[in-house]
């Protein structure tokens, strides 16, 4: 009964991440580094909280695609930018939606909603490989479902005419430009995630209140302002995959690899920078 009781608590997770987004792993001033997550944790598969977290990632990514892609298509439908929310509105839709969804799901799954974020946290040993793969699969399925619902609302003709929100490298830019934009943009996002959810920072600077989803949402907003003209802004492989699968036109697949390789490189660089340079974890003296 004790195990069941533990599983029912909001946000409870018998096999939790070592430092989930939106929570502080250590509130005491004398901070102790949490142990790294094991690569494989078979017991997770028997825990309802594990499956519940995956469902939360699916639903959050579904809602993310639904709101953001509809916003993109609304801008494309307008006769000119002044008759719509424009690029700034698209950026606000992406950033604001991430803020709301990370806030809502942080206590359940960590609120990743992005395979690149999951990958970066996995490299930092904040979650197991089992959980990381499960999250990425559920995020991708949620993105496909979100894009599919939009196509159902819009109908084939309008959906295809407005591009389905699919990412591609825009005219005037090379594939290298697009790859670089995705690497740097994802670095900004994942570095912000690490900084905003750093339990040591929360313990040390406990007098400074911090709401982790807010800087994360702002990072998404700012990156979209900068890179929409270059790639339409991916920085989230699930978002790019969902739109590409449902739109399914040649130009949506031509550059699709950029929206996986770029974010994963950016996430890896951010994880390395935070863990090695900022936190200097490999150089700390172990007791």
């Amino acid at each position: 009964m004790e195990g069941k009781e533990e599983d029912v608590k909001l946000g409870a997770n018998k096999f939790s991440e070592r430092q989930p987004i939106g929570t502080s792993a250590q509130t005491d001033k004398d901070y102790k580094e949490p142990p790294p997550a094991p690569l494989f944790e078979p017991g997770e598969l028997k825990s309802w909280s594990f499956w519940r977290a995956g469902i939360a990632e699916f639903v959050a990514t579904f809602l993310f695609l639904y709101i953001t892609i509809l916003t993109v298509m609304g801008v494309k439908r307008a006769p000119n930018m002044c008759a719509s929310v424009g690029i700034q509105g698209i950026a606000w839709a992406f950033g604001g939606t991430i803020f709301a969804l990370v806030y809502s799901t942080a206590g359940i799954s960590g609120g990743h909603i992005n395979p690149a974020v999951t990958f970066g946290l996995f490299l930092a040993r904040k979650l197991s490989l089992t959980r990381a793969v499960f999250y990425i699969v559920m995020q991708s399925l949620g993105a496909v479902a979100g894009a599919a619902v939009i196509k159902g609302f819009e109908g084939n003709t309008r959906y295809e005419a407005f591009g389905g929100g699919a990412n591609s490298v825009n005219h005037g830019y090379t594939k290298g430009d697009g790859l670089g934009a995705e690497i740097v943009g994802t670095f900004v996002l994942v570095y912000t995630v690490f900084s905003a959810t750093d339990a040591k920072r929360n313990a040390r600077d406990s007098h400074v209140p911090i709401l982790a989803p807010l800087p994360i949402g702002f990072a998404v907003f700012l990156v979209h302002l900068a890179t929409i003209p270059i790639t339409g802004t991916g920085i989230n492989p699930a978002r790019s995959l969902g739109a590409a699968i449902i739109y399914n036109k040649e130009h949506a697949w031509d550059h699709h690899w950029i929206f996986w390789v770029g974010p994963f490189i950016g996430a890896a660089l951010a994880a390395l920078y935070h863990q090695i340079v900022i936190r200097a974890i490999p150089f700390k003296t172990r007791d």
Side-chain angles (χ1 to χ4, degrees):
M1 287 300 293
E2 185 183 342
K4 289 184 181 177
E5 236 173 57
E6 184 181 275
D7 229 18
V8 170
K9 292 178 185 175
L10 179 63
N13 192 343
K14 188 175 179 183
F15 301 96
S16 60
E17 294 179 48
R18 288 333 191 243
Q19 188 180 320
I21 290 181
T23 65
S24 175
Q26 177 78 25
T27 57
D28 193 89
K29 291 278 186 180
D30 299 322
Y31 176 79
K32 289 181 71 176
E33 197 71 47
L39 280 179
F40 298 99
E41 207 160 6
E44 284 185 317
L45 302 177
K46 299 175 184 177
S47 171
W48 164 239
S49 59
F50 174 81
W51 299 101
R52 179 184 61 187
I55 294 169
E57 288 292 311
F58 174 91
V59 172
T61 315
F62 169 86
L63 294 173
F64 177 62
L65 265 286
Y66 175 78
I67 294 170
T68 56
I69 300 304
L70 273 180
T71 304
V72 170
M73 294 182 70
V75 170
K76 291 200 172 183
R77 180 188 290 117
N80 55 69
M81 284 290 183
C82 294
S84 70
V85 295
I87 287 178
Q88 293 87 350
I90 293 173
W92 273 120
F94 277 88
T97 305
I98 284 296
F99 168 63
L101 293 174
V102 171
Y103 180 85
S104 301
T105 60
I108 307 297
S109 66
H112 298 189
I113 321 172
N114 185 336
V117 170
T118 299
F119 181 65
L121 291 171
F122 165 69
L123 291 181
R125 303 294 300 276
K126 305 298 182 186
L127 71 165
S128 67
L129 179 61
T130 314
R131 184 176 292 267
V133 171
F134 182 48
Y135 276 16
I136 291 172
V137 169
M138 295 302 280
Q139 290 157 359
S140 299
L141 291 175
V144 172
V149 167
I150 295 170
K151 185 173 183 178
F153 284 168
E154 295 287 344
N156 285 342
T157 305
R158 280 184 304 190
Y159 185 83
E160 292 179 7
F162 301 135
N167 287 119
S168 62
V169 179
N170 291 325
H171 295 297
Y173 294 96
T174 66
K175 292 179 182 179
D177 297 332
L179 182 62
E182 290 295 307
I183 291 172
V184 176
T186 311
F187 179 93
V188 171
L189 170 59
V190 178
Y191 176 47
T192 303
V193 168
F194 274 104
S195 298
T197 61
D198 190 337
K200 182 177 181 182
R201 178 181 178 181
N202 290 344
R204 184 192 62 215
D205 302 330
S206 56
H207 62 286
V208 180
I210 181 167
L211 182 63
L214 185 58
I216 294 169
F218 261 105
V220 172
F221 166 69
L222 294 171
V223 171
H224 275 75
L225 281 182
T227 60
I228 282 175
I230 303 173
T231 61
T233 309
I235 68 170
N236 183 332
R239 171 261 187 273
S240 300
L241 179 67
I245 286 177
I246 301 303
Y247 183 58
N248 199 28
K249 297 293 180 184
E250 189 176 343
H251 81 271
W253 294 110
D254 283 345
H255 306 143
H256 186 69
W257 63 271
I258 290 172
F259 301 99
W260 282 87
V261 174
F264 273 53
I265 292 175
L269 292 173
L272 289 171
Y273 177 66
H274 185 267
Q275 297 295 97
I276 295 175
V277 179
I278 301 301
R279 293 291 305 280
I281 288 176
F283 308 109
K284 289 181 179 176
T285 305
R286 299 193 180 275
D287 297 329

